[in-house]
Amino acid sequence: MWAAIVTFLRTWGLIVLLVAGGLGIAYRFVAPPPPQMLRIATGPGADSAYARATRRYAEALRAEDFTVELVESQGSVENLAMLRQRRVDFALVQGGVAGTMPVAAQGRVASARQEVALVSLGSVFFEPAWVFVRRDAGRQRLQQLNGARIAMGPPGSGTRALALALLEVNAVEPDSFIASPFSGTDAADALLAGEVDAAIFVAAEPGPAISRLMAAGEQVELVDFETRAAAYARLLPYVTPVHLPRSGFSLALDLPAEDVVLLAPAASLIAPADVHPQLVSLFIRILQEEHRGRQSFAPEGRFPSALNQDLPLHRDAARWYESGPTFLQSWMPFWVAVTVERMWVLLIPLLTLALPLIRFAPPLYTWQMESRIWRYYDDMRGIEAELPAARDDAARDALLARINGLEGKIAKLSVPSAYGRQFYALRRDLDWLRDQVTQRPG
């Protein structure tokens, strides 16, 4: 019984060993797991839309056991530069900065353009441009800003990049105005104090600076792009006209007093082109949870979106937007789905090796069990071959002793009942050989 068990284990152990070896070789070609450490660029200040969004991304990632580092930056242009230099793994970038902004607006990013290819994971919210001008300056249109002092944020910010693009399409030359690095409340203070003639803000949600300027209607005016919105959208394809209705800012204060059309690029989440595919799916799921609701300038379900892209959309992101999440990631925790999807490639070598080996195992087991019986026939043939030369009693007694020795070994032989026919056939053949030996010559 134990011999049969040992033979069984030896047979299937060999099969398992061969299959495990094949899987080990195939595992070398399996994609590595996603990195545990992720760096995300934020934006200027703790209250910017980028900073708030990336903090929520970080919380969702940490809930999935990732380690997340938030890297503060001056805004979209610097975010883009850090992505290209692999100083961060993900960043929100304002529409237009990555692909279609003039070189002058891209600053140091232009010199790093060839460093790392980038892809988009989708746009997440609109960022309208809020352009305020002083009423006493007589500059109610952007074409009239030649010679003006304009607060447009620091170099490296998306606000400055968009401001330069808006001025360029209005034929306002870079050397014909003074660019001030003021932003936020500093820009609002400077505009109200007359230190600048115009101030440009790019903000998904109005902050304290915009609120203060909206309430100062006697001194400053919010530029309305309604009559030229189609022209701006044609010249700057990454901007979308968005509508701010009368009293849409403040119903109590009736602000604004008339409907206003603003120009809004869409912020997108950008990553290097070699980003891990599982991270793409995870991030899009996070974007869905964070941005699919109703926004100030977008209806529910408008974001995240594959539209308004400056950079190529990652192929897995495009597939997700078209077909939704994979079955595994819909019904399994992230890391479980990742492990199963990574191991899926092992199914091919598993089937290629295991199925033939499984079919080979029963014949191998049968051969091993029958060989325990057949090996005694070699000794019996040897005795039979020596029989004609054994003519005296001593020689035949020696052959008979060898037969008795074989009989003792066979009596100790243990085989399963399924091989009983071969076992008893061996004993009958041994008895026949004994009869041949005990018969005297002649």
Side-chain angles (χ1 to χ4, degrees), residues 141-143 165-166 168-170 224-241 261-263:
R141 295 172 56 185
L142 297 188
Q143 297 95 321
L166 293 174
E168 183 181 54
V169 297
N170 281 281
D224 183 5
F225 292 95
E226 180 180 11
T227 58
R228 295 174 176 81
Y232 278 106
R234 177 178 176 275
L235 295 172
L236 303 175
Y238 51 87
V239 300
T240 300
V261 173
L262 305 176
L263 301 178

Side-chain angles (χ1 to χ4, degrees), residues 82-325:
M82 289 194 293
L83 282 168
R84 294 194 186 279
Q85 297 162 12
R86 290 196 181 276
R87 292 162 54 196
V88 296
D89 304 301
F90 297 90
L92 289 170
V93 175
Q94 180 181 295
V97 172
T100 56
M101 283 288 183
V103 172
Q106 297 183 37
R108 55 177 169 162
V109 176
S111 64
R113 179 176 295 277
Q114 302 301 323
E115 291 186 20
V116 176
L118 302 178
V119 293
S120 172
L121 305 189
S123 52
V124 293
F125 50 75
F126 284 128
E127 296 184 280
W130 305 73
V131 182
F132 292 92
V133 295
R134 288 186 60 84
R135 291 187 181 274
D136 57 9
R139 303 175 187 271
Q140 279 70 41
R141 295 172 56 185
L142 297 188
Q143 297 95 321
Q144 300 170 330
L145 291 181
N146 281 293
R149 298 160 298 174
I150 309 172
M152 57 177 62
S157 67
T159 299
R160 176 166 290 213
L162 181 58
L164 293 174
L166 293 174
L167 294 173
E168 183 181 54
V169 297
N170 281 281
V172 180
E173 298 297 331
D175 57 357
S176 67
F177 62 88
I178 300 174
S180 167
F182 290 145
S183 63
T185 56
D186 292 336
D189 293 340
L191 184 62
L192 293 175
E195 297 175 9
V196 295
D197 303 301
I200 301 177
F201 306 85
V202 176
E205 296 289 342
I210 294 176
S211 300
R212 184 178 177 189
L213 294 177
M214 289 292 293
E218 295 182 357
Q219 295 177 265
V220 298
E221 177 182 353
L222 177 63
V223 174
D224 183 5
F225 292 95
E226 180 180 11
T227 58
R228 295 174 176 81
Y232 278 106
R234 177 178 176 275
L235 295 172
L236 303 175
Y238 51 87
V239 300
T240 300
V242 296
H243 183 228
L244 178 63
R246 177 176 178 175
S247 301
F249 185 84
S250 173
L251 192 63
L253 300 176
D254 191 25
L255 296 176
E258 302 291 340
D259 289 357
V260 176
V261 173
L262 305 176
L263 301 178
S268 296
L269 185 66
I270 307 299
D274 58 359
V275 59
H276 199 286
Q278 268 86 22
L279 287 180
V280 174
S281 299
L282 175 60
F283 256 101
I284 295 180
R285 191 178 75 189
I286 294 173
L287 298 183
Q288 279 280 328
E289 295 172 356
E290 297 296 335
H291 301 292
R292 66 185 172 188
R294 181 177 177 273
Q295 301 178 9
S296 296
F297 295 96
E300 182 177 359
R302 172 65 174 81
F303 292 107
S305 171
L307 305 176
N308 304 96
Q309 302 303 315
D310 297 331
L311 294 167
L313 194 66
H314 191 281
R315 62 181 181 275
D316 291 320
R319 187 182 307 114
W320 201 100
Y321 287 117
E322 291 177 3
S323 307

Side-chain angles (χ1 to χ4, degrees), residues 38-98:
L38 300 177
R39 297 161 299 172
I40 306 177
T42 59
D47 294 327
S48 65
Y50 286 12
R52 293 195 300 269
T54 51
R55 281 199 299 269
R56 295 196 298 270
Y57 301 164
E59 291 175 3
L61 290 169
R62 289 177 183 129
E64 297 289 351
D65 296 327
F66 285 92
T67 300
V68 183
E69 178 186 355
L70 296 178
V71 182
E72 189 172 344
S73 71
Q74 290 296 324
S76 291
V77 175
E78 187 175 3
N79 285 359
L80 194 65
M82 289 194 293
L83 282 168
R84 294 194 186 279
Q85 297 162 12
R86 290 196 181 276
R87 292 162 54 196
V88 296
D89 304 301
F90 297 90
L92 289 170
V93 175
Q94 180 181 295
V97 172

Side-chain angles (χ1 to χ4, degrees), residues 364-376 413:
L364 178 62
Y365 176 77
T366 299
W367 175 82
Q368 290 188 81
M369 295 307 303
E370 291 182 347
S371 67
R372 296 171 60 84
I373 299 174
W374 295 338
R375 65 186 179 184
Y376 291 103
L413 182 64

